[in-house]
Amino acid sequence: QVQLVESGGGLVQAGDSLRLSCAASGRTFSSSAMGWFRQAPGKERQFVATINWSGGSTYYADSVKGRFAISRDNAKSTVYLQMNNLKLEDTAVYYCAGATYKSWPTSQTNDYGYWGQGTQVTVSS
């Protein structure tokens, strides 16, 4: 089992950058694909990015491609989301998730069995 704790959220202005971190505990982290999702008020949880177990492959939602970068450090059991050129529409609670479905990549929330508590990202004009 994997436990996940996100950090790094905050209030920033449009165009700024922010890096989220997700610290994992549990012996399966290094063999698990990881993902980031986000949920804005009144909206469904939305896929953002995913990274395979080794960190060698990544996959992004079209809305963040070219602006966000997911990475991981298996030695530190941590996955990151670097967010650049933030836009108002990026405002949401961001969740880290561990994939339990073996086919990669997957953007479906049901394919992720482990979730963090979320961290708020607010982008102001």
Side-chain angles (χ1 to χ4, degrees):
Q1 189 162 346
V2 177
Q3 293 181 324
L4 306 171
V5 178
E6 302 97 333
S7 61
L11 173 63
V12 297
Q13 292 189 322
D16 284 352
S17 297
L18 204 58
R19 189 175 83 155
L20 305 182
S21 298
C22 173
S25 62
R27 54 190 177 91
T28 62
F29 174 82
S30 60
S31 62
S32 299
M34 299 295 295
W36 285 97
F37 289 75
R38 65 187 182 187
Q39 189 166 19
K43 295 188 176 181
E44 292 186 352
R45 194 164 296 190
Q46 176 187 45
F47 168 77
V48 175
T50 183
I51 189 167
N52 75 336
W53 68 273
S54 68
S57 296
T58 58
Y59 179 74
Y60 298 93
D62 287 343
S63 58
V64 306
K65 200 174 296 182
R67 299 188 298 122
F68 290 13
I70 187 172
S71 61
R72 67 190 296 163
D73 185 336
N74 285 345
K76 296 182 178 180
S77 296
T78 302
V79 62
Y80 305 97
L81 186 68
Q82 177 67 43
M83 305 184 293
N84 299 325
N85 189 23
L86 282 160
K87 303 178 180 180
L88 298 179
E89 53 265 38
D90 294 320
T91 295
V93 177
Y94 283 72
Y95 297 90
C96 174
T100 49
Y101 187 64
K102 295 306 179 183
S103 179
W104 187 91
T106 176
S107 60
Q108 304 301 309
T109 56
N110 288 342
D111 292 339
Y112 292 80
Y114 308 113
W115 294 85
Q117 83 289 349
T119 185
Q120 176 70 47
V121 173
T122 303
V123 184
S124 65
S125 58

